[in-house]
Amino acid sequence: MSLLKDDPRVQIVFTHNEREPAILSSGVGEFLASLDAKVISWEQAVETRFDLAIAASENDELHRVKAPVLLVPHGIGHQKHYPHQTVISGLNPARLVRDGQVVPSRIGLSHSNQLRYIRQHSPQAEPHAVVVGDPCHDRMLASLNRAARYRRLLDVRDRKHVVLASTWGPDSLLGTDPGLPARLLTELPVDEYKFSLIVHPGAWAAHSPWQIRAWLSRALRAGLAVIPPQRGWQAAVVSADCLISDGGSIALYAAAAKIPVLIGSREPATVVPDSPLAELLARAPRLDQERDLREQVDQACTAGPLTEIAARAVEFSGKCAELLRPVLYELMRLAEPDTRAVFLPVPDPVPDVTEPATFSVEVRRHADHLVVSRFPTEQAGRSGSPTAMSSPTKNCPLWTSSKVRPWSTASSPARTPISTAGQGK
């Protein structure tokens, strides 16, 4: 939307289907309201003629929209199948083509190697595909020189910043090991390591912010910085010394930003074989619960990034704005502005963090000096004081997909075709 913001010829409105909400769509209305933008009902949206509609999911009734539709991925390209299917997420043939007609006017791809998926499963839609790169990746590139600022806002100081990223479902980082954040924070010294956590918006939507914070309460009391789903995850990744992740898109985004990646989850069965994500999961080091956590984190922070893999996921790195904006204006039948098309840096992170109240202290002698290390710990010994909580078990509903429709997307505009009315038709 930033490519259209300052054009007085373009009015932008938002919509989402409140009457048929997906499980992962909880919070979309509140997020749109927080933008102070114009939001219209789905019924009004499909009855009104617009000049352009932008959608991040093909699972909505896009065939009902009276506008040229630009369909874009809601992750870094197309790396996953829908669970228990061979259909590639974001490229469902039954949704791309309806009644013999291709629904999207343009299908934005992050890399030309994704054309083979359309060619194989929806050949009729191939002429509608256009490779534009990835706007999220380019915004992160534009933010690399702000890493020091982001680290300051996250209170990293001179510590190693370790970012944990968990998608949703049983094969996510937290689905695989719900107690990992608390163990990292209590086993590694607080004056040498800073830990931040990014949780997929789908988990927030399916379980509620209250429940997620409750499940993470032990880690939160130990000082874990939780990045809210609305903003800040890109800045957290850019400022990281390493990322502990799973098979979600953030692992590829981190690799593309030259951040070392350590995989801490099972490999999901939904990953497309021979995709960049599959290669990353195969080549990145894996967290071993039987080995010392600190040693593995230190090794990951000094390892080289797997940027050559990410290059297979995003083409035309740094040029997305100049490739994407002409597509938008062509579909609206408007002359493109004379100004240069650029993506701005990502916004500052605003973490949810509580400083630990109590510590255990370890003193070690090294030659002629002493080394003092502090570790967050639970209060004990007083009536009414909190005691150590057990981590959620792997059998609890945390991060699982039993109540989550795997074909639903969870980022804020996921079920939100974003419509712009440019010429008052």
Side-chain angles (χ1 to χ4, degrees):
M1 289 299 97
S2 63
L3 298 178
L4 303 173
K5 272 185 176 180
D6 58 355
D7 192 333
R9 300 170 296 171
V10 179
Q11 164 75 50
I12 300 172
V13 301
F14 296 81
T15 187
H16 66 111
N17 194 340
E18 293 179 319
R19 293 192 175 184
E20 298 181 13
I23 293 175
L24 302 189
S25 67
S26 175
V28 169
E30 292 82 354
F31 175 77
L32 293 178
S34 73
L35 298 178
D36 290 331
K38 178 69 174 178
V39 181
I40 63 175
S41 68
W42 178 251
E43 290 75 15
Q44 181 181 352
V46 297
E47 291 299 326
T48 305
R49 185 167 297 278
F50 292 96
D51 295 285
L52 175 64
I54 305 175
S57 171
E58 86 281 32
N59 287 320
D60 295 293
E61 296 180 311
L62 299 180
H63 63 282
R64 298 180 59 196
V65 177
K66 297 180 175 66
V69 174
L70 170 63
L71 179 64
V72 295
H74 57 269
I76 186 165
H78 300 281
Q79 313 290 332
K80 299 278 192 73
H81 290 122
Y82 287 120
H84 313 297
Q85 301 181 44
T86 58
V87 175
I88 293 176
S89 176
L91 298 176
N92 187 343
R95 299 282 186 170
L96 295 182
V97 180
R98 186 180 178 90
D99 298 328
Q101 299 295 318
V102 179
V103 175
S105 300
R106 293 288 185 274
I107 303 170
L109 302 177
S110 65
H111 199 287
S112 56
N113 59 24
Q114 295 156 23
L115 284 166
R116 56 182 171 154
Y117 304 143
I118 299 179
R119 188 177 301 121
Q120 179 179 358
H121 300 289
S122 305
Q124 188 177 349
E126 184 180 359
H128 297 252
V130 56
V131 180
V132 295
D134 187 290
C136 182
H137 164 67
D138 280 14
R139 292 195 70 192
M140 293 175 73
L141 287 186
S143 307
L144 292 178
N145 62 354
R146 295 194 174 196
R149 171 183 175 83
Y150 299 148
R151 289 172 70 90
R152 184 171 66 253
L153 293 170
L154 290 165
D155 193 32
V156 175
R157 302 194 295 275
D158 59 350
R159 298 178 288 180
K160 292 178 180 177
H161 187 203
V162 181
V163 175
L164 288 74
S166 182
T167 186
W168 57 272
D171 296 325
S172 66
L173 181 68
L174 294 177
T176 300
D177 189 355
L180 179 62
R183 289 204 311 281
L184 286 167
L185 274 104
T186 55
E187 293 182 19
L188 276 68
V190 68
D191 297 307
E192 298 178 48
Y193 298 87
K194 170 72 177 181
F195 291 94
S196 300
L197 173 65
I198 303 164
V199 178
H200 192 287
W204 292 97
H207 299 297
S208 83
W210 181 91
Q211 183 63 80
I212 291 208
R213 292 189 182 98
W215 278 325
L216 291 170
S217 57
R218 184 177 175 220
L220 289 171
R221 290 196 299 273
L224 177 67
V226 176
I227 308 301
Q230 295 86 356
R231 58 178 283 182
W233 72 263
Q234 300 100 323
V237 171
V238 165
S239 68
D241 290 289
C242 76
L243 179 86
I244 302 178
S245 188
D246 48 30
S249 289
I250 292 182
L252 272 176
Y253 279 122
K258 300 182 180 180
I259 305 300
V261 175
L262 178 64
I263 302 299
S265 70
R266 296 180 291 267
E267 183 168 346
T270 54
V271 175
V272 175
D274 299 324
S275 66
L277 182 57
E279 184 180 358
L280 179 66
L281 293 174
R283 289 183 52 189
R286 288 193 169 269
L287 190 67
D288 185 348
Q289 299 300 335
E290 302 302 319
R291 291 178 52 207
D292 181 73
L293 288 177
R294 180 172 183 172
E295 178 185 359
Q296 294 180 80
V297 168
D298 288 345
Q299 289 175 349
C301 288
T302 56
L306 299 171
T307 51
E308 72 280 6
I309 298 176
R312 290 184 51 224
V314 181
E315 203 166 7
F316 305 118
S317 179
K319 298 182 178 181
C320 179
E322 59 188 83
L323 293 172
L324 179 58
R325 193 174 73 173
V327 175
L328 300 174
Y329 278 89
E330 176 191 4
L331 293 174
M332 290 190 295
R333 298 183 181 180
L334 280 177
E336 191 178 358
D338 294 332
T339 56
R340 180 173 173 239
V342 295
F343 283 121
L344 299 177
V346 300
D348 291 341
V350 183
D352 178 4
V353 61
T354 301
E355 291 301 319
T358 58
F359 301 87
S360 63
V361 178
E362 177 184 281
V363 181
R364 291 172 295 164
R365 181 179 295 278
H366 281 264
D368 59 348
H369 66 280
L370 298 177
V371 176
V372 179
S373 300
R374 300 187 303 157
F375 302 85
T377 186
E378 298 283 354
Q379 292 178 331
R382 292 184 300 169
S383 176
S385 62
T387 56
M389 292 179 59
S390 60
S391 300
T393 68
K394 295 183 180 180
N395 294 322
C396 81
L398 175 62
W399 329 117
T400 66
S401 60
S402 59
K403 297 183 180 180
V404 176
R405 291 195 326 202
W407 47 85
S408 301
T409 45
S411 52
S412 52
R415 289 184 59 85
T416 309
I418 304 173
S419 304
T420 63
Q423 295 168 285
K425 289 185 179 177

